[in-house]
Amino acid sequence: MNREAFFTVHRELPREGPGEAADVHWVLDQIPKPARVLDAACGPGADTVTLADALPEAAITAIDKMPHFVEETRTRVPDRVTVREGDAFDVRGPFDIIWCAGAVYFKCVTQALKAWRPALGPNGHVAFSEPLKPGPDAPQAAWDFWAAEYPQIMDRAGLSDQVIAAGFEILGTRLIFGQPWEDYYTPMQARIDKLRGTDPALTDTLHEHQREIDLWRAARDHVAYLLILTRPA
Ligand SMILES: C[S@@+](CC[C@H](N)C(=O)[O-])C[C@H]1O[C@@H](n2cnc3c(N)ncnc32)[C@H](O)[C@@H]1O
């Protein structure tokens, strides 16, 4: 992967993966009002904004390892939110909720939950979204999408096993498919269209991203993330 080209395409996107404010609210509606919140691997901060709006009195921290995402998040959130560069899987709490959209796969579910366990306060929760293996009735296009994107994808049982192996229990799950993916890919398509023909160094990366979007469009309602709300068992 050409990292420079990758991050040129991914600059100025409102979020770096599928998701929507309703996902954050779905979690907040099920847990005691959190006073200490971590947005782990916040990307450009879309969910940090939702967390800050929903929790005006909470101490909120957002962490990402990429400096430009940290800067983008800082421009979007109130000053009371701490936004910093760092390893989202090596954090000091205590936090009442650790939120992580679309980034646990960098680590593996069990390892990520184990890493976060010492940073959870009493009655602390973790909510994270992970790619979900298509069901047996899904069209070939869905398999083609994930074969290109994330071949090690797991089904619900596999994800559940990984959560349990970390000593956590699942309190609820929510499918993320359709519109939240459209909301992710529509700005990316605009970015591709804007950059096309501007720099030969971007050609391959633009082509790869266009292919990703085309594969997703062919399987639109069969490509999903699973949002999982957990706590230590
Ligand atoms: C698919 S993006 C999701 C970003 C954001 N949560 C969102 O939904 O827009 C994955 C993010 O994880 C970040 N990331 C990956 N590994 C990380 C780590 N060890 N520590 C902090 N951030 C990490 C990347 O920089 C990127 O911003």
Side-chain angles (χ1 to χ4, degrees):
M1 182 182 72
N2 178 338
R3 279 175 63 84
E4 201 175 318
F6 178 90
F7 285 114
T8 300
V9 174
H10 281 254
R11 209 163 275 266
E12 296 173 21
L13 298 182
R15 59 178 308 130
E16 278 293 307
E20 57 184 350
D23 300 328
V24 175
H25 289 290
W26 176 83
V27 167
L28 295 180
D29 286 349
Q30 296 181 72
I31 62 175
K33 195 167 198 160
R36 301 158 299 188
V37 178
L38 173 66
D39 186 354
C42 60
D47 294 331
T48 322
V49 171
T50 303
L51 288 162
D53 287 347
L55 301 166
E57 286 158 24
I60 299 174
T61 303
I63 297 179
D64 201 279
K65 68 174 185 180
M66 300 298 299
H68 71 270
F69 285 143
V70 170
E71 284 313 310
E72 283 180 39
T73 299
R74 270 202 193 113
T75 64
R76 296 174 74 179
V77 297
D79 287 347
R80 68 186 172 84
V81 176
T82 303
V83 187
R84 69 174 177 84
E85 192 182 325
D87 185 349
F89 303 105
D90 184 12
V91 290
R92 294 185 67 169
F95 296 106
D96 301 311
I97 177 77
I98 296 178
W99 167 267
C100 184
V104 162
Y105 61 84
F106 285 106
K107 186 94 177 161
C108 139
V109 172
T110 304
Q111 281 180 30
L113 291 175
K114 281 185 173 174
W116 284 327
R117 178 69 187 86
L120 285 178
N123 202 18
H125 292 74
V126 175
F128 66 95
S129 59
E130 259 294 279
L132 179 66
K133 199 172 190 170
D137 298 334
Q140 183 58 40
W143 297 98
D144 293 345
F145 175 87
W146 287 118
E149 294 304 313
Y150 189 50
Q152 61 273 51
I153 191 167
M154 283 176 287
D155 60 11
R156 279 177 184 268
L159 288 167
S160 174
D161 287 349
Q162 291 238 329
V163 169
I164 291 165
F168 280 61
E169 63 179 345
I170 294 179
L171 300 181
T173 60
R174 172 182 164 93
L175 276 176
I176 299 174
F177 73 101
Q179 190 60 45
W181 289 73
E182 187 76 58
D183 295 344
Y184 170 51
Y185 281 134
T186 298
M188 188 190 289
Q189 183 67 66
R191 186 89 180 129
I192 291 170
D193 295 343
K194 183 176 166 189
L195 291 171
R196 200 175 272 126
T198 60
D199 180 354
L202 296 177
T203 304
D204 289 350
T205 305
L206 290 172
H207 178 75
E208 285 159 19
H209 282 75
Q210 186 64 62
R211 181 166 184 272
E212 176 182 333
I213 294 174
D214 293 345
L215 282 172
W216 173 72
R217 289 204 186 289
R220 201 180 184 282
D221 289 338
H222 300 275
V223 171
Y225 270 17
L226 191 65
L227 175 59
I228 302 178
L229 175 61
T230 67
R231 71 177 170 204

